[in-house]
Amino acid sequence: MGEVAIHHRVGTRRIFDLAERLLPVSLLSAPDPNATDEAYQNWHVRRRVRGLGLANPGAAEYWLAILGVKGQVRRATLTRLVEQGDLVAVAVEEVPNRTFFVATVDLPTLEAVQTQEAPEPQAAILGPLDNLLWDRALLRWVFDFDYVWEVYKPAAQRKYGYYVLPVLYGDRFVARFEPALNKKTRELTITHWWWEEGIQPDEPMRAALAACFRQFVDYLDASRIVDEETGFFGKNPVSERG
């Protein structure tokens, strides 16, 4: 409700204080931008749909933290936003009997993907909490990709590993891997690598993955990356800073 806020951090611990002691009076006394519950629900549901990209109205877990928006209220809000022109109801081929929602402002991007020539595929490494991964059921329906972040599972129950990252190439999930970063040497090691079923990497894919991992090294401020598990990147580093 905004009554407390983070004052500072000590390591991984957050220290909180009353918001009235942290924020200026002008902000605390500003009028509520949403004068009614319905206006608030419209704003927050519209915001959540944009965050999801393609919103599945039945996945209650991904509508949490929106005050008062459950079940019938959520469906009524989605219908209202469609009638107002803020959202569009869509269907996905090969996902029968389900209706999804996209933001109207995102339609030009969707139409461009369908009508323009596809660019050269690029690769990306996704974090476990990336927006695209929020709805696990939608991942299976649309991308045929089954992913669970196993960080909270006991080691014996994990199918892959503690911190496994999906790899996207073009519009397909092609692999997943488990990294390990040595904080002293800053060396990034690929400890495990799993190709998705049916993926046969060709030279363009390998080049895109190498470019992607060079960016990953830069992002982590790592000294280099070494593949101990698969040999895909070779025993020598694929990238070494400096």
mmCIF file of all heavy atoms in Angstrom, residues 189-239:
data_model
loop_
_atom_site.group_PDB
_atom_site.id
_atom_site.type_symbol
_atom_site.label_atom_id
_atom_site.label_comp_id
_atom_site.label_asym_id
_atom_site.label_seq_id
_atom_site.Cartn_x
_atom_site.Cartn_y
_atom_site.Cartn_z
ATOM 1 N N THR A 189 31.879 -19.900 -16.498
ATOM 2 C CA THR A 189 31.960 -21.270 -16.989
ATOM 3 C C THR A 189 30.567 -21.795 -17.315
ATOM 4 O O THR A 189 29.637 -21.613 -16.530
ATOM 5 C CB THR A 189 32.622 -22.182 -15.943
ATOM 6 O OG1 THR A 189 33.930 -21.704 -15.660
ATOM 7 C CG2 THR A 189 32.712 -23.619 -16.453
ATOM 8 N N ILE A 190 30.445 -22.423 -18.477
ATOM 9 C CA ILE A 190 29.211 -23.147 -18.800
ATOM 10 C C ILE A 190 29.365 -24.545 -18.225
ATOM 11 O O ILE A 190 30.091 -25.374 -18.762
ATOM 12 C CB ILE A 190 28.978 -23.211 -20.312
ATOM 13 C CG1 ILE A 190 28.845 -21.805 -20.893
ATOM 14 C CG2 ILE A 190 27.724 -24.023 -20.625
ATOM 15 C CD1 ILE A 190 28.716 -21.769 -22.395
ATOM 16 N N THR A 191 28.667 -24.809 -17.137
ATOM 17 C CA THR A 191 28.832 -26.106 -16.480
ATOM 18 C C THR A 191 27.967 -27.185 -17.113
ATOM 19 O O THR A 191 28.336 -28.363 -17.094
ATOM 20 C CB THR A 191 28.501 -26.002 -14.981
ATOM 21 O OG1 THR A 191 27.158 -25.526 -14.831
ATOM 22 C CG2 THR A 191 29.441 -25.009 -14.302
ATOM 23 N N HIS A 192 26.804 -26.789 -17.657
ATOM 24 C CA HIS A 192 25.933 -27.733 -18.363
ATOM 25 C C HIS A 192 25.235 -27.015 -19.506
ATOM 26 O O HIS A 192 24.927 -25.826 -19.411
ATOM 27 C CB HIS A 192 24.869 -28.328 -17.416
ATOM 28 C CG HIS A 192 25.437 -29.151 -16.305
ATOM 29 N ND1 HIS A 192 25.733 -28.622 -15.068
ATOM 30 C CD2 HIS A 192 25.752 -30.463 -16.247
ATOM 31 C CE1 HIS A 192 26.213 -29.574 -14.293
ATOM 32 N NE2 HIS A 192 26.236 -30.701 -14.980
ATOM 33 N N TRP A 193 25.000 -27.760 -20.566
ATOM 34 C CA TRP A 193 24.304 -27.214 -21.738
ATOM 35 C C TRP A 193 23.354 -28.281 -22.270
ATOM 36 O O TRP A 193 23.735 -29.437 -22.448
ATOM 37 C CB TRP A 193 25.314 -26.825 -22.817
ATOM 38 C CG TRP A 193 24.700 -26.265 -24.063
ATOM 39 C CD1 TRP A 193 24.125 -26.954 -25.090
ATOM 40 C CD2 TRP A 193 24.595 -24.887 -24.417
ATOM 41 N NE1 TRP A 193 23.671 -26.092 -26.062
ATOM 42 C CE2 TRP A 193 23.944 -24.812 -25.669
ATOM 43 C CE3 TRP A 193 24.987 -23.698 -23.794
ATOM 44 C CZ2 TRP A 193 23.679 -23.603 -26.319
ATOM 45 C CZ3 TRP A 193 24.736 -22.501 -24.430
ATOM 46 C CH2 TRP A 193 24.087 -22.471 -25.676
ATOM 47 N N TRP A 194 22.105 -27.895 -22.519
ATOM 48 C CA TRP A 194 21.110 -28.827 -23.035
ATOM 49 C C TRP A 194 20.470 -28.236 -24.287
ATOM 50 O O TRP A 194 19.861 -27.149 -24.224
ATOM 51 C CB TRP A 194 20.000 -29.085 -22.022
ATOM 52 C CG TRP A 194 20.449 -29.675 -20.722
ATOM 53 C CD1 TRP A 194 20.561 -30.990 -20.385
ATOM 54 C CD2 TRP A 194 20.815 -28.943 -19.539
ATOM 55 N NE1 TRP A 194 20.969 -31.135 -19.094
ATOM 56 C CE2 TRP A 194 21.137 -29.897 -18.542
ATOM 57 C CE3 TRP A 194 20.911 -27.574 -19.233
ATOM 58 C CZ2 TRP A 194 21.547 -29.521 -17.256
ATOM 59 C CZ3 TRP A 194 21.315 -27.199 -17.959
ATOM 60 C CH2 TRP A 194 21.629 -28.164 -16.991
ATOM 61 N N TRP A 195 20.595 -28.917 -25.429
ATOM 62 C CA TRP A 195 19.861 -28.516 -26.627
ATOM 63 C C TRP A 195 18.416 -28.964 -26.498
ATOM 64 O O TRP A 195 18.139 -30.036 -25.950
ATOM 65 C CB TRP A 195 20.470 -29.160 -27.876
ATOM 66 C CG TRP A 195 21.817 -28.644 -28.265
ATOM 67 C CD1 TRP A 195 23.008 -29.297 -28.144
ATOM 68 C CD2 TRP A 195 22.116 -27.373 -28.849
ATOM 69 N NE1 TRP A 195 24.033 -28.511 -28.618
ATOM 70 C CE2 TRP A 195 23.510 -27.326 -29.062
ATOM 71 C CE3 TRP A 195 21.333 -26.271 -29.215
ATOM 72 C CZ2 TRP A 195 24.149 -26.214 -29.612
ATOM 73 C CZ3 TRP A 195 21.963 -25.162 -29.764
ATOM 74 C CH2 TRP A 195 23.337 -25.137 -29.958
ATOM 75 N N GLU A 196 17.506 -28.179 -27.024
ATOM 76 C CA GLU A 196 16.119 -28.616 -27.088
ATOM 77 C C GLU A 196 15.980 -29.714 -28.145
ATOM 78 O O GLU A 196 16.772 -29.795 -29.098
ATOM 79 C CB GLU A 196 15.205 -27.440 -27.437
ATOM 80 C CG GLU A 196 15.051 -26.446 -26.308
ATOM 81 C CD GLU A 196 14.464 -27.069 -25.060
ATOM 82 O OE1 GLU A 196 13.282 -27.472 -25.084
ATOM 83 O OE2 GLU A 196 15.190 -27.155 -24.045
ATOM 84 N N GLU A 197 14.988 -30.551 -27.975
ATOM 85 C CA GLU A 197 14.777 -31.680 -28.879
ATOM 86 C C GLU A 197 14.596 -31.189 -30.320
ATOM 87 O O GLU A 197 13.833 -30.255 -30.584
ATOM 88 C CB GLU A 197 13.549 -32.470 -28.444
ATOM 89 C CG GLU A 197 13.311 -33.735 -29.247
ATOM 90 C CD GLU A 197 12.133 -34.535 -28.745
ATOM 91 O OE1 GLU A 197 11.560 -34.152 -27.706
ATOM 92 O OE2 GLU A 197 11.784 -35.543 -29.391
ATOM 93 N N GLY A 198 15.298 -31.828 -31.228
ATOM 94 C CA GLY A 198 15.165 -31.517 -32.646
ATOM 95 C C GLY A 198 16.023 -30.379 -33.146
ATOM 96 O O GLY A 198 16.032 -30.083 -34.347
ATOM 97 N N ILE A 199 16.782 -29.726 -32.266
ATOM 98 C CA ILE A 199 17.620 -28.604 -32.693
ATOM 99 C C ILE A 199 18.940 -29.124 -33.249
ATOM 100 O O ILE A 199 19.651 -29.886 -32.599
ATOM 101 C CB ILE A 199 17.891 -27.641 -31.515
ATOM 102 C CG1 ILE A 199 16.587 -27.013 -31.040
ATOM 103 C CG2 ILE A 199 18.890 -26.561 -31.921
ATOM 104 C CD1 ILE A 199 15.876 -26.182 -32.073
ATOM 105 N N GLN A 200 19.232 -28.708 -34.471
ATOM 106 C CA GLN A 200 20.502 -29.034 -35.118
ATOM 107 C C GLN A 200 21.213 -27.716 -35.424
ATOM 108 O O GLN A 200 20.891 -27.034 -36.394
ATOM 109 C CB GLN A 200 20.261 -29.825 -36.407
ATOM 110 C CG GLN A 200 19.605 -31.175 -36.208
ATOM 111 C CD GLN A 200 20.512 -32.150 -35.476
ATOM 112 O OE1 GLN A 200 21.738 -32.080 -35.584
ATOM 113 N NE2 GLN A 200 19.902 -33.073 -34.734
ATOM 114 N N PRO A 201 22.186 -27.312 -34.610
ATOM 115 C CA PRO A 201 22.815 -26.005 -34.798
ATOM 116 C C PRO A 201 23.606 -25.935 -36.099
ATOM 117 O O PRO A 201 24.400 -26.820 -36.406
ATOM 118 C CB PRO A 201 23.742 -25.884 -33.581
ATOM 119 C CG PRO A 201 23.982 -27.293 -33.142
ATOM 120 C CD PRO A 201 22.728 -28.053 -33.453
ATOM 121 N N ASP A 202 23.356 -24.864 -36.868
ATOM 122 C CA ASP A 202 24.136 -24.630 -38.081
ATOM 123 C C ASP A 202 25.073 -23.452 -37.834
ATOM 124 O O ASP A 202 25.115 -22.884 -36.736
ATOM 125 C CB ASP A 202 23.216 -24.374 -39.277
ATOM 126 C CG ASP A 202 22.230 -23.243 -39.020
ATOM 127 O OD1 ASP A 202 22.444 -22.443 -38.081
ATOM 128 O OD2 ASP A 202 21.233 -23.140 -39.767
ATOM 129 N N GLU A 203 25.813 -23.063 -38.847
ATOM 130 C CA GLU A 203 26.810 -22.005 -38.668
ATOM 131 C C GLU A 203 26.183 -20.662 -38.301
ATOM 132 O O GLU A 203 26.699 -19.957 -37.422
ATOM 133 C CB GLU A 203 27.685 -21.882 -39.917
ATOM 134 C CG GLU A 203 28.685 -23.031 -40.067
ATOM 135 C CD GLU A 203 29.516 -23.235 -38.807
ATOM 136 O OE1 GLU A 203 30.061 -22.233 -38.277
ATOM 137 O OE2 GLU A 203 29.610 -24.378 -38.342
ATOM 138 N N PRO A 204 25.080 -20.228 -38.938
ATOM 139 C CA PRO A 204 24.465 -18.965 -38.506
ATOM 140 C C PRO A 204 24.033 -18.986 -37.036
ATOM 141 O O PRO A 204 24.186 -17.990 -36.329
ATOM 142 C CB PRO A 204 23.263 -18.828 -39.442
ATOM 143 C CG PRO A 204 23.653 -19.579 -40.671
ATOM 144 C CD PRO A 204 24.444 -20.748 -40.168
ATOM 145 N N MET A 205 23.495 -20.126 -36.575
ATOM 146 C CA MET A 205 23.098 -20.213 -35.173
ATOM 147 C C MET A 205 24.312 -20.131 -34.261
ATOM 148 O O MET A 205 24.308 -19.424 -33.247
ATOM 149 C CB MET A 205 22.329 -21.502 -34.905
ATOM 150 C CG MET A 205 21.797 -21.591 -33.475
ATOM 151 S SD MET A 205 21.056 -23.204 -33.048
ATOM 152 C CE MET A 205 19.649 -23.221 -34.160
ATOM 153 N N ARG A 206 25.376 -20.841 -34.630
ATOM 154 C CA ARG A 206 26.587 -20.810 -33.810
ATOM 155 C C ARG A 206 27.162 -19.400 -33.736
ATOM 156 O O ARG A 206 27.598 -18.942 -32.671
ATOM 157 C CB ARG A 206 27.628 -21.776 -34.372
ATOM 158 C CG ARG A 206 27.260 -23.245 -34.219
ATOM 159 C CD ARG A 206 28.270 -24.148 -34.922
ATOM 160 N NE ARG A 206 27.897 -25.543 -34.811
ATOM 161 C CZ ARG A 206 28.217 -26.340 -33.796
ATOM 162 N NH1 ARG A 206 28.926 -25.853 -32.784
ATOM 163 N NH2 ARG A 206 27.838 -27.605 -33.774
ATOM 164 N N ALA A 207 27.149 -18.685 -34.855
ATOM 165 C CA ALA A 207 27.676 -17.318 -34.876
ATOM 166 C C ALA A 207 26.822 -16.397 -34.010
ATOM 167 O O ALA A 207 27.344 -15.550 -33.273
ATOM 168 C CB ALA A 207 27.727 -16.799 -36.310
ATOM 169 N N ALA A 208 25.492 -16.573 -34.088
ATOM 170 C CA ALA A 208 24.600 -15.747 -33.276
ATOM 171 C C ALA A 208 24.794 -16.039 -31.791
ATOM 172 O O ALA A 208 24.774 -15.127 -30.957
ATOM 173 C CB ALA A 208 23.156 -15.981 -33.693
ATOM 174 N N LEU A 209 24.978 -17.303 -31.443
ATOM 175 C CA LEU A 209 25.192 -17.668 -30.046
ATOM 176 C C LEU A 209 26.522 -17.110 -29.534
ATOM 177 O O LEU A 209 26.605 -16.622 -28.398
ATOM 178 C CB LEU A 209 25.162 -19.182 -29.895
ATOM 179 C CG LEU A 209 23.776 -19.830 -29.990
ATOM 180 C CD1 LEU A 209 23.908 -21.345 -30.100
ATOM 181 C CD2 LEU A 209 22.925 -19.459 -28.792
ATOM 182 N N ALA A 210 27.564 -17.180 -30.351
ATOM 183 C CA ALA A 210 28.853 -16.638 -29.937
ATOM 184 C C ALA A 210 28.743 -15.137 -29.678
ATOM 185 O O ALA A 210 29.270 -14.619 -28.685
ATOM 186 C CB ALA A 210 29.911 -16.928 -30.997
ATOM 187 N N ALA A 211 28.045 -14.412 -30.565
ATOM 188 C CA ALA A 211 27.849 -12.974 -30.371
ATOM 189 C C ALA A 211 27.053 -12.701 -29.106
ATOM 190 O O ALA A 211 27.355 -11.765 -28.346
ATOM 191 C CB ALA A 211 27.149 -12.381 -31.590
ATOM 192 N N CYS A 212 26.044 -13.515 -28.867
ATOM 193 C CA CYS A 212 25.209 -13.359 -27.683
ATOM 194 C C CYS A 212 26.030 -13.567 -26.408
ATOM 195 O O CYS A 212 25.892 -12.804 -25.437
ATOM 196 C CB CYS A 212 24.060 -14.348 -27.749
ATOM 197 S SG CYS A 212 23.018 -14.397 -26.287
ATOM 198 N N PHE A 213 26.880 -14.564 -26.406
ATOM 199 C CA PHE A 213 27.669 -14.834 -25.214
ATOM 200 C C PHE A 213 28.753 -13.784 -24.994
ATOM 201 O O PHE A 213 29.142 -13.515 -23.855
ATOM 202 C CB PHE A 213 28.258 -16.244 -25.264
ATOM 203 C CG PHE A 213 27.344 -17.268 -24.668
ATOM 204 C CD1 PHE A 213 26.367 -17.877 -25.441
ATOM 205 C CD2 PHE A 213 27.421 -17.594 -23.332
ATOM 206 C CE1 PHE A 213 25.501 -18.800 -24.896
ATOM 207 C CE2 PHE A 213 26.563 -18.523 -22.769
ATOM 208 C CZ PHE A 213 25.592 -19.124 -23.549
ATOM 209 N N ARG A 214 29.240 -13.171 -26.063
ATOM 210 C CA ARG A 214 30.170 -12.052 -25.868
ATOM 211 C C ARG A 214 29.471 -10.902 -25.141
ATOM 212 O O ARG A 214 30.051 -10.258 -24.265
ATOM 213 C CB ARG A 214 30.731 -11.592 -27.213
ATOM 214 C CG ARG A 214 31.830 -12.504 -27.770
ATOM 215 C CD ARG A 214 32.560 -11.859 -28.929
ATOM 216 N NE ARG A 214 31.722 -11.786 -30.116
ATOM 217 C CZ ARG A 214 31.659 -12.752 -31.036
ATOM 218 N NH1 ARG A 214 32.382 -13.858 -30.891
ATOM 219 N NH2 ARG A 214 30.889 -12.622 -32.096
ATOM 220 N N GLN A 215 28.214 -10.664 -25.492
ATOM 221 C CA GLN A 215 27.429 -9.644 -24.796
ATOM 222 C C GLN A 215 27.189 -10.051 -23.341
ATOM 223 O O GLN A 215 27.198 -9.200 -22.439
ATOM 224 C CB GLN A 215 26.101 -9.431 -25.511
ATOM 225 C CG GLN A 215 26.241 -8.836 -26.904
ATOM 226 C CD GLN A 215 24.897 -8.749 -27.623
ATOM 227 O OE1 GLN A 215 23.908 -9.349 -27.199
ATOM 228 N NE2 GLN A 215 24.869 -8.011 -28.715
ATOM 229 N N PHE A 216 26.972 -11.333 -23.128
ATOM 230 C CA PHE A 216 26.736 -11.844 -21.775
ATOM 231 C C PHE A 216 27.974 -11.634 -20.905
ATOM 232 O O PHE A 216 27.870 -11.246 -19.737
ATOM 233 C CB PHE A 216 26.376 -13.326 -21.864
ATOM 234 C CG PHE A 216 25.773 -13.902 -20.609
ATOM 235 C CD1 PHE A 216 24.780 -13.238 -19.925
ATOM 236 C CD2 PHE A 216 26.192 -15.142 -20.131
ATOM 237 C CE1 PHE A 216 24.202 -13.790 -18.781
ATOM 238 C CE2 PHE A 216 25.625 -15.695 -18.993
ATOM 239 C CZ PHE A 216 24.628 -15.016 -18.308
ATOM 240 N N VAL A 217 29.140 -11.869 -21.476
ATOM 241 C CA VAL A 217 30.400 -11.642 -20.763
ATOM 242 C C VAL A 217 30.517 -10.173 -20.369
ATOM 243 O O VAL A 217 30.878 -9.835 -19.238
ATOM 244 C CB VAL A 217 31.593 -12.080 -21.637
ATOM 245 C CG1 VAL A 217 32.896 -11.532 -21.076
ATOM 246 C CG2 VAL A 217 31.664 -13.595 -21.716
ATOM 247 N N ASP A 218 30.211 -9.279 -21.303
ATOM 248 C CA ASP A 218 30.280 -7.846 -21.015
ATOM 249 C C ASP A 218 29.292 -7.457 -19.918
ATOM 250 O O ASP A 218 29.604 -6.674 -19.022
ATOM 251 C CB ASP A 218 30.002 -7.034 -22.277
ATOM 252 C CG ASP A 218 31.129 -7.149 -23.307
ATOM 253 O OD1 ASP A 218 32.246 -7.520 -22.896
ATOM 254 O OD2 ASP A 218 30.885 -6.873 -24.486
ATOM 255 N N TYR A 219 28.086 -8.007 -20.014
ATOM 256 C CA TYR A 219 27.037 -7.683 -19.037
ATOM 257 C C TYR A 219 27.467 -8.080 -17.624
ATOM 258 O O TYR A 219 27.230 -7.344 -16.648
ATOM 259 C CB TYR A 219 25.744 -8.404 -19.428
ATOM 260 C CG TYR A 219 24.666 -8.352 -18.385
ATOM 261 C CD1 TYR A 219 23.958 -7.179 -18.132
ATOM 262 C CD2 TYR A 219 24.345 -9.493 -17.640
ATOM 263 C CE1 TYR A 219 22.972 -7.137 -17.152
ATOM 264 C CE2 TYR A 219 23.357 -9.454 -16.673
ATOM 265 C CZ TYR A 219 22.677 -8.279 -16.427
ATOM 266 O OH TYR A 219 21.702 -8.242 -15.472
ATOM 267 N N LEU A 220 28.100 -9.248 -17.494
ATOM 268 C CA LEU A 220 28.524 -9.742 -16.183
ATOM 269 C C LEU A 220 29.866 -9.176 -15.745
ATOM 270 O O LEU A 220 30.313 -9.449 -14.629
ATOM 271 C CB LEU A 220 28.614 -11.277 -16.214
ATOM 272 C CG LEU A 220 27.300 -12.031 -16.418
ATOM 273 C CD1 LEU A 220 27.576 -13.520 -16.589
ATOM 274 C CD2 LEU A 220 26.355 -11.790 -15.254
ATOM 275 N N ASP A 221 30.510 -8.408 -16.644
ATOM 276 C CA ASP A 221 31.865 -7.916 -16.394
ATOM 277 C C ASP A 221 32.804 -9.086 -16.097
ATOM 278 O O ASP A 221 33.641 -9.043 -15.197
ATOM 279 C CB ASP A 221 31.871 -6.922 -15.230
ATOM 280 C CG ASP A 221 33.173 -6.138 -15.155
ATOM 281 O OD1 ASP A 221 33.811 -5.950 -16.220
ATOM 282 O OD2 ASP A 221 33.575 -5.729 -14.045
ATOM 283 N N ALA A 222 32.611 -10.155 -16.862
ATOM 284 C CA ALA A 222 33.448 -11.344 -16.711
ATOM 285 C C ALA A 222 34.728 -11.188 -17.530
ATOM 286 O O ALA A 222 34.788 -10.421 -18.501
ATOM 287 C CB ALA A 222 32.689 -12.583 -17.165
ATOM 288 N N SER A 223 35.760 -11.915 -17.132
ATOM 289 C CA SER A 223 37.037 -11.838 -17.854
ATOM 290 C C SER A 223 37.006 -12.672 -19.124
ATOM 291 O O SER A 223 37.574 -12.286 -20.143
ATOM 292 C CB SER A 223 38.171 -12.318 -16.951
ATOM 293 O OG SER A 223 37.958 -13.668 -16.546
ATOM 294 N N ARG A 224 36.313 -13.811 -19.076
ATOM 295 C CA ARG A 224 36.226 -14.690 -20.230
ATOM 296 C C ARG A 224 35.157 -15.739 -19.960
ATOM 297 O O ARG A 224 34.642 -15.860 -18.851
ATOM 298 C CB ARG A 224 37.568 -15.363 -20.510
ATOM 299 C CG ARG A 224 38.074 -16.247 -19.375
ATOM 300 C CD ARG A 224 39.395 -16.885 -19.742
ATOM 301 N NE ARG A 224 39.814 -17.874 -18.765
ATOM 302 C CZ ARG A 224 40.837 -18.706 -18.937
ATOM 303 N NH1 ARG A 224 41.548 -18.642 -20.051
ATOM 304 N NH2 ARG A 224 41.159 -19.577 -18.026
ATOM 305 N N ILE A 225 34.849 -16.514 -20.981
ATOM 306 C CA ILE A 225 33.873 -17.592 -20.835
ATOM 307 C C ILE A 225 34.493 -18.888 -21.345
ATOM 308 O O ILE A 225 35.131 -18.913 -22.399
ATOM 309 C CB ILE A 225 32.565 -17.277 -21.596
ATOM 310 C CG1 ILE A 225 31.554 -18.394 -21.414
ATOM 311 C CG2 ILE A 225 32.804 -16.979 -23.048
ATOM 312 C CD1 ILE A 225 30.167 -18.026 -21.916
ATOM 313 N N VAL A 226 34.320 -19.950 -20.570
ATOM 314 C CA VAL A 226 34.896 -21.253 -20.902
ATOM 315 C C VAL A 226 33.786 -22.305 -20.845
ATOM 316 O O VAL A 226 32.967 -22.306 -19.929
ATOM 317 C CB VAL A 226 36.019 -21.626 -19.917
ATOM 318 C CG1 VAL A 226 36.531 -23.039 -20.196
ATOM 319 C CG2 VAL A 226 37.152 -20.614 -20.009
ATOM 320 N N ASP A 227 33.785 -23.180 -21.834
ATOM 321 C CA ASP A 227 32.798 -24.261 -21.900
ATOM 322 C C ASP A 227 33.480 -25.556 -21.495
ATOM 323 O O ASP A 227 34.312 -26.085 -22.221
ATOM 324 C CB ASP A 227 32.243 -24.351 -23.325
ATOM 325 C CG ASP A 227 31.324 -25.549 -23.512
ATOM 326 O OD1 ASP A 227 30.965 -26.181 -22.512
ATOM 327 O OD2 ASP A 227 30.960 -25.830 -24.656
ATOM 328 N N GLU A 228 33.145 -26.067 -20.316
ATOM 329 C CA GLU A 228 33.723 -27.327 -19.847
ATOM 330 C C GLU A 228 32.862 -28.529 -20.202
ATOM 331 O O GLU A 228 33.319 -29.655 -20.168
ATOM 332 C CB GLU A 228 33.897 -27.292 -18.322
ATOM 333 C CG GLU A 228 34.958 -26.341 -17.832
ATOM 334 C CD GLU A 228 35.154 -26.441 -16.334
ATOM 335 O OE1 GLU A 228 34.278 -27.050 -15.667
ATOM 336 O OE2 GLU A 228 36.154 -25.922 -15.834
ATOM 337 N N GLU A 229 31.590 -28.289 -20.518
ATOM 338 C CA GLU A 229 30.632 -29.376 -20.612
ATOM 339 C C GLU A 229 30.435 -29.893 -22.024
ATOM 340 O O GLU A 229 30.507 -31.093 -22.272
ATOM 341 C CB GLU A 229 29.280 -28.900 -20.043
ATOM 342 C CG GLU A 229 28.139 -29.883 -20.174
ATOM 343 C CD GLU A 229 28.290 -31.086 -19.262
ATOM 344 O OE1 GLU A 229 29.158 -31.039 -18.371
ATOM 345 O OE2 GLU A 229 27.552 -32.059 -19.441
ATOM 346 N N THR A 230 30.169 -28.993 -22.982
ATOM 347 C CA THR A 230 29.711 -29.450 -24.293
ATOM 348 C C THR A 230 30.745 -29.343 -25.394
ATOM 349 O O THR A 230 30.631 -30.010 -26.411
ATOM 350 C CB THR A 230 28.485 -28.631 -24.734
ATOM 351 O OG1 THR A 230 28.907 -27.291 -25.007
ATOM 352 C CG2 THR A 230 27.428 -28.615 -23.653
ATOM 353 N N GLY A 231 31.741 -28.476 -25.207
ATOM 354 C CA GLY A 231 32.691 -28.246 -26.293
ATOM 355 C C GLY A 231 32.144 -27.372 -27.393
ATOM 356 O O GLY A 231 32.803 -27.133 -28.390
ATOM 357 N N PHE A 232 30.909 -26.869 -27.217
ATOM 358 C CA PHE A 232 30.287 -26.053 -28.272
ATOM 359 C C PHE A 232 31.106 -24.812 -28.554
ATOM 360 O O PHE A 232 31.291 -24.425 -29.702
ATOM 361 C CB PHE A 232 28.866 -25.680 -27.843
ATOM 362 C CG PHE A 232 28.195 -24.725 -28.786
ATOM 363 C CD1 PHE A 232 27.910 -25.100 -30.084
ATOM 364 C CD2 PHE A 232 27.848 -23.449 -28.384
ATOM 365 C CE1 PHE A 232 27.297 -24.224 -30.965
ATOM 366 C CE2 PHE A 232 27.235 -22.576 -29.254
ATOM 367 C CZ PHE A 232 26.956 -22.963 -30.541
ATOM 368 N N PHE A 233 31.636 -24.173 -27.511
ATOM 369 C CA PHE A 233 32.442 -22.974 -27.684
ATOM 370 C C PHE A 233 33.933 -23.294 -27.711
ATOM 371 O O PHE A 233 34.755 -22.390 -27.799
ATOM 372 C CB PHE A 233 32.158 -21.973 -26.560
ATOM 373 C CG PHE A 233 30.757 -21.452 -26.594
ATOM 374 C CD1 PHE A 233 29.825 -21.902 -25.680
ATOM 375 C CD2 PHE A 233 30.365 -20.514 -27.533
ATOM 376 C CE1 PHE A 233 28.530 -21.429 -25.707
ATOM 377 C CE2 PHE A 233 29.069 -20.043 -27.557
ATOM 378 C CZ PHE A 233 28.147 -20.494 -26.650
ATOM 379 N N GLY A 234 34.279 -24.567 -27.597
ATOM 380 C CA GLY A 234 35.681 -24.932 -27.588
ATOM 381 C C GLY A 234 36.257 -24.831 -26.192
ATOM 382 O O GLY A 234 35.713 -24.180 -25.308
ATOM 383 N N LYS A 235 37.383 -25.461 -25.979
ATOM 384 C CA LYS A 235 38.020 -25.424 -24.664
ATOM 385 C C LYS A 235 38.655 -24.068 -24.400
ATOM 386 O O LYS A 235 38.885 -23.682 -23.262
ATOM 387 C CB LYS A 235 39.070 -26.536 -24.554
ATOM 388 C CG LYS A 235 38.462 -27.936 -24.576
ATOM 389 C CD LYS A 235 37.473 -28.136 -23.439
ATOM 390 C CE LYS A 235 36.855 -29.529 -23.459
ATOM 391 N NZ LYS A 235 35.863 -29.710 -22.399
ATOM 392 N N ASN A 236 39.012 -23.334 -25.450
ATOM 393 C CA ASN A 236 39.548 -22.001 -25.255
ATOM 394 C C ASN A 236 38.399 -21.005 -25.080
ATOM 395 O O ASN A 236 37.288 -21.239 -25.552
ATOM 396 C CB ASN A 236 40.406 -21.582 -26.456
ATOM 397 C CG ASN A 236 41.616 -22.475 -26.594
ATOM 398 O OD1 ASN A 236 42.223 -22.842 -25.600
ATOM 399 N ND2 ASN A 236 41.946 -22.826 -27.814
ATOM 400 N N PRO A 237 38.647 -19.901 -24.412
ATOM 401 C CA PRO A 237 37.584 -18.923 -24.192
ATOM 402 C C PRO A 237 37.022 -18.413 -25.500
ATOM 403 O O PRO A 237 37.756 -18.157 -26.459
ATOM 404 C CB PRO A 237 38.280 -17.801 -23.415
ATOM 405 C CG PRO A 237 39.487 -18.437 -22.820
ATOM 406 C CD PRO A 237 39.907 -19.509 -23.776
ATOM 407 N N VAL A 238 35.698 -18.232 -25.566
ATOM 408 C CA VAL A 238 35.097 -17.655 -26.751
ATOM 409 C C VAL A 238 35.301 -16.158 -26.768
ATOM 410 O O VAL A 238 35.254 -15.533 -27.804
ATOM 411 C CB VAL A 238 33.597 -18.011 -26.809
ATOM 412 C CG1 VAL A 238 32.804 -17.292 -25.723
ATOM 413 C CG2 VAL A 238 33.004 -17.672 -28.175
ATOM 414 N N SER A 239 35.519 -15.577 -25.598
ATOM 415 C CA SER A 239 35.718 -14.140 -25.526
ATOM 416 C C SER A 239 36.584 -13.843 -24.329
ATOM 417 O O SER A 239 36.445 -14.440 -23.273
ATOM 418 C CB SER A 239 34.378 -13.398 -25.391
ATOM 419 O OG SER A 239 34.586 -12.024 -25.218
#
